[in-house]
Amino acid sequence: MSNGRFPQEVIDTVLKAHDIVEVVGRHVHLTKQGHYLKGLCPFHSEKSPSFTVTPEKQIYHCFGCGAGGNAIRFISEVEGLSFGQAVRKLAEEAHLQLGPDSPGGGGSEPRENPERRKLIEAHELAAKLYQYILHNTEQGRPAKEYLHSRGISDKLMETFGIGFIPNSWDTLTKLLDRKGFPLDLMERGGLLTEREGGGYYDKFRDRVIFPIQDWKGQVIAFGGRAMGDVQPKYLNSPESLLFHKSRTLYNLHAARPQVRKQQELVLFEGYMDVIRAWDAGVHNGVATMGTALTAEHAEAIRRLADRVIIAYDGDHAGQSAAFKSIPLLEKAGCEVKVAMLPGGLDPDEYIRDNGSERFVREVLGTAVPSFKYKLLYPRRNFKLQEDAGRLKYITESLKLIAELPSPIEREHYVKDLISEFHYSYDTAMQTVNEHRMKAEKKRDSGDNKDVPWNNGMNEGRPRAQVPSMVPAYQYAERQLLAVMMQDREIAAYVERELGDGFNMEAHAALAAYLYAYYAEGAEPNVSTFIGMLQDDKLESLASSLSLGDNRSGINDTVIDDYIRQIRRFPLLQALERKREEVKVAERSGDITKALQLGSEIISLEKQLKSS
């Protein structure tokens, strides 16, 4: 299934267009652990996670089976694709076009879809226009005063790129036309609307504008808020080549670093909530922009964070949306809490009325676990002031508690429930146990049965586990290669002093690739280097070697010691062979040969002493 070798610039561009955490996260539930993310390996069955992803180096490696590489290799392995097919798949996802000269129909240089690129440029231009009007024109003054009245400072406006478009039909249309943008494409991209009689006019008019960006920070859509009683109050760009509401989260590009650091994400409903929370110091907030949370949103969140706090509006609609979002996030593998906003307030209103500190401490800080919320939310459907209503609510709650797998959690929530309604603990627990006995089903035992992709993927092609103890020369070669991947000067020194003198065939091959990689002027980048290998074993080896801080404790003396160890091994092997040959010669009575071999042994021993 070989598709030829892709030029390095193609591989580099494809890799830069993807985050390995996002790519791997589609198939593996990853949790933060120091500088790494860990999960169960998709290539062999295991109970304890030994599969790691290193965002900094954009690589993955499994300590259990030895699998490793970059995002292209992962997709190739997990989806059963050839290397070329994996490159084209990721290129397509990133809207990169491969030219006619590439292997299998790709090109020497990937090109982004020209229509997509044009739309990105148009959206960036539109964002600058909207911001200019807000900050530098008389038309923008009312909008700026409105934002100030909502507690949005000039600094916040600049941080989030907020702008304004006046009540004109063609402010943006004229600019795009003057700059040579095809207006029919601009209409398909959601910036303009086509007139019935021909021509185009602006999609947004007389609205405060919020740019919507993709995970790379590129403007792909807008949200517009009316300042008066115009309906709808919020208007988003339509679905387009750039913008997919079911997959896009507002402010994800800016929140990503803090989300990863804290492994916690705060989920809001709208732009203003995110912006006000950011001003309150909550820099891990994103929003669904008024649309319902989707499975795609949940997956995107899970790839970044282990924990989610849902901070939707406190009114009935917001709390209902929060309740519906819980199963989506939990199915994706997130630990979920729900913030309880009093009096039907939304986060923006609460912060304005009560201040940032109270919002962080009393709303986010007291968010209830999702299960607690599942017990609290349905209360509105029962008449708790009446015996029949209370009994029905308690019965339904106990049935829900019975589904909890943890005995401690069941006991906790039963005690919590009976303390409010003053029922017997023993009776309540008996009811719970009866529900569990009725609902209990036998489950097949086995490893990772709930994750079908994690079973049998590696049948027929087992990977040898790297032994924990290796000979000194092998250790020296591995350490040397690991440092060479991070330092081109050390690689150049090793090339001069050792060249192809590595004893392990795979190590020698990897060194040769490194010499060639740096000879082309490339800078140290593990993921990019792995991309040029296009060889399963070498990619796995390179990913394994690159784990950890290999530069720690490295100096010129250590490098020379490694080189000396590597050079000594062939001499030690030769010495051992000569000694065996001496024994054979002595047993056969060939004294002349024994003396000759003895002289050779003395020469080898001198070489070892001087090496």
Side-chain angles (χ1 to χ4, degrees):
M1 295 178 67
S2 174
N3 290 285
R5 292 185 60 84
F6 280 82
Q8 191 59 41
E9 58 266 27
V10 172
I11 296 167
D12 291 349
T13 306
V14 170
L15 288 172
K16 286 176 183 176
H18 290 276
D19 180 358
I20 196 167
V21 175
E22 187 272 334
V23 173
V24 173
R26 304 174 201 167
H27 302 270
V28 181
H29 174 49
L30 298 170
T31 56
K32 183 79 170 176
Q33 193 165 93
H35 295 296
Y36 305 95
L37 289 94
K38 295 194 75 172
L40 294 172
C41 180
F43 305 118
H44 81 289
S45 186
E46 62 179 7
K47 293 181 180 179
S48 299
S50 61
F51 182 89
T52 63
V53 175
T54 311
E56 181 184 0
K57 297 177 181 177
Q58 289 291 296
I59 61 169
Y60 70 93
H61 184 77
C62 177
F63 290 95
C65 69
N70 56 23
I72 296 172
R73 175 55 56 190
F74 180 83
I75 288 297
S76 172
E77 289 285 293
V78 83
E79 298 190 13
L81 304 176
S82 70
F83 183 87
Q85 289 169 332
V87 170
R88 282 191 290 277
K89 176 182 172 66
L90 290 173
E92 183 179 339
E93 289 178 2
H95 306 285
L96 300 172
Q97 288 188 331
L98 301 180
D101 298 327
S102 76
S108 60
E109 290 221 23
R111 304 188 312 276
E112 187 169 11
N113 180 320
E115 289 193 345
R116 177 182 170 83
R117 183 67 257 163
K118 207 69 177 173
L119 284 173
I120 290 286
E121 291 173 6
H123 277 78
E124 295 285 355
L125 178 63
K128 291 177 182 176
L129 171 67
Y130 299 149
Q131 291 171 57
Y132 178 83
I133 293 172
L134 177 68
H135 294 290
N136 300 284
T137 71
E138 194 64 31
Q139 292 171 304
R141 180 176 294 179
K144 201 165 189 180
E145 291 174 353
Y146 163 78
L147 289 166
H148 284 155
S149 73
R150 295 289 302 270
I152 306 299
S153 65
D154 287 2
K155 183 179 178 181
L156 274 180
M157 294 180 209
E158 291 175 8
T159 299
F160 287 89
I162 301 172
F164 175 71
I165 184 72
N167 193 16
S168 170
W169 289 91
D170 55 7
T171 303
L172 178 61
T173 304
K174 286 180 177 178
L175 176 63
L176 292 173
D177 190 34
R178 191 166 64 250
K179 293 289 185 179
F181 288 93
L183 299 188
D184 59 333
L185 175 61
M186 301 299 101
E187 187 272 332
R188 296 200 306 276
L191 289 171
L192 308 179
T193 301
E194 188 174 10
R195 296 180 188 273
E196 289 186 11
Y200 300 91
Y201 60 91
D202 295 358
K203 174 71 70 175
F204 295 97
R205 298 181 307 281
D206 197 24
R207 287 178 181 269
V208 173
I209 300 294
F210 300 88
I212 300 168
Q213 289 145 304
D214 63 12
W215 70 274
K216 291 183 283 189
Q218 298 179 130
V219 180
I220 57 172
F222 295 101
R225 192 197 193 284
M227 293 184 293
D229 296 328
V230 179
Q231 293 297 322
K233 182 167 69 173
Y234 281 99
L235 177 67
N236 287 334
S237 294
E239 295 274 318
S240 71
L241 180 63
L242 302 182
F243 181 50
H244 304 281
K245 295 178 187 176
S246 64
R247 301 203 294 266
T248 305
L249 290 163
Y250 178 69
N251 197 48
L252 183 62
H253 70 290
R256 180 187 293 260
Q258 196 63 23
V259 170
R260 278 202 173 145
K261 181 179 179 180
Q262 296 181 222
Q263 276 302 292
E264 184 174 83
L265 178 146
V266 182
L267 183 62
F268 297 101
E269 284 189 276
Y271 314 105
M272 293 297 288
D273 296 334
V274 169
I275 295 168
R276 288 299 301 233
W278 182 282
D279 196 38
V282 181
H283 292 176
N284 57 333
V286 304
T288 54
M289 299 174 290
T291 60
L293 187 79
T294 65
E296 289 91 340
H297 286 142
E299 281 296 318
I301 290 169
R302 190 265 297 169
R303 288 192 286 267
L304 292 174
D306 294 331
R307 302 179 302 279
V308 179
I309 297 177
I310 302 174
Y312 284 179
D313 296 356
D315 59 12
H316 176 72
Q319 294 305 291
S320 176
F323 185 76
K324 292 174 183 176
S325 298
I326 291 171
L328 286 171
L329 291 164
E330 289 185 331
K331 185 178 180 181
C334 297
E335 177 190 331
V336 184
K337 289 184 176 182
V338 182
M340 309 288 286
L341 283 121
L345 296 175
D346 61 36
D348 174 30
E349 293 168 332
Y350 186 93
I351 293 170
R352 275 189 288 150
D353 294 348
N354 300 280
S356 301
E357 187 179 337
R358 283 189 63 183
F359 175 73
V360 173
R361 185 181 69 250
E362 298 180 14
V363 176
L364 298 184
T366 61
V368 299
S370 59
F371 187 81
K372 176 73 171 179
Y373 188 76
K374 290 175 186 177
L375 294 176
L376 293 172
Y377 176 76
R379 291 168 72 103
R380 67 189 71 195
N381 301 323
F382 298 90
K383 296 180 179 179
L384 299 181
Q385 69 276 16
E386 300 176 2
D387 287 344
R390 282 198 301 275
L391 284 170
K392 192 170 182 181
Y393 170 70
I394 292 167
T395 301
E396 292 300 316
S397 296
L398 291 173
K399 191 182 294 185
L400 197 62
I401 292 170
E403 297 175 6
L404 289 169
S406 166
I408 294 176
E409 284 188 280
R410 292 198 297 271
E411 181 179 341
H412 171 81
Y413 286 111
V414 165
K415 286 182 176 178
D416 195 38
L417 190 67
I418 64 166
S419 67
E420 180 181 358
F421 293 99
H422 308 294
Y423 282 92
S424 163
Y425 171 76
D426 291 337
T427 303
M429 283 303 299
Q430 182 181 343
T431 304
V432 167
N433 291 331
E434 287 173 357
H435 283 309
R436 285 184 64 78
M437 290 177 66
K438 290 178 184 177
E440 192 172 298
K441 297 178 182 179
K442 291 183 179 179
R443 296 185 179 180
D444 293 332
S445 62
D447 180 32
N448 300 330
K449 294 296 183 183
D450 292 335
V451 192
W453 45 258
N454 199 38
N455 292 274
M457 275 296 290
N458 206 34
E459 289 182 10
R461 49 190 180 97
R463 299 173 185 267
Q465 185 169 347
V466 178
S468 57
M469 296 294 292
V470 296
Y473 79 92
Q474 284 190 34
Y475 176 80
E477 291 184 359
R478 291 175 64 87
Q479 292 298 105
L480 205 52
L481 286 166
V483 179
M484 289 164 65
M485 283 193 287
Q486 298 181 43
D487 192 314
R488 63 182 302 158
E489 290 185 7
I490 291 178
Y493 178 76
V494 173
E495 184 177 12
R496 289 194 305 272
E497 297 296 317
L498 188 63
D500 61 355
F502 288 83
N503 297 288
M504 300 289 292
E505 184 180 348
H507 294 171
L510 201 61
Y513 273 113
L514 268 170
Y515 300 152
Y517 175 74
Y518 287 130
E520 293 176 0
E523 292 300 319
N525 184 304
V526 175
S527 181
T528 301
F529 172 65
I530 288 175
M532 76 172 286
L533 298 174
Q534 299 186 33
D535 178 277
D536 292 12
K537 292 180 180 178
L538 291 181
E539 289 183 12
S540 178
L541 174 62
S543 70
S544 172
L545 296 176
S546 66
L547 297 173
D549 181 14
N550 299 301
R551 294 300 312 275
S552 179
I554 293 293
N555 54 40
D556 293 347
T557 302
V558 174
I559 294 295
D560 287 336
D561 284 343
Y562 287 152
I563 292 173
R564 187 159 44 249
Q565 285 280 2
I566 295 167
R567 284 174 172 163
R568 282 171 60 87
F569 179 68
L571 295 175
L572 289 169
Q573 277 191 314
L575 186 61
E576 188 176 342
R577 284 196 305 270
K578 297 294 181 185
R579 284 171 176 164
E580 287 297 321
E581 290 175 16
V582 166
K583 291 178 184 178
V584 173
E586 287 175 343
R587 282 197 297 266
S588 65
D590 192 342
I591 303 302
T592 303
K593 186 173 184 180
L595 289 172
Q596 179 186 343
L597 289 169
S599 175
E600 292 175 6
I601 288 172
I602 292 171
S603 175
L604 285 171
E605 287 175 337
K606 286 180 178 178
Q607 288 183 54
L608 278 170
K609 287 180 180 179
S610 62
S611 65

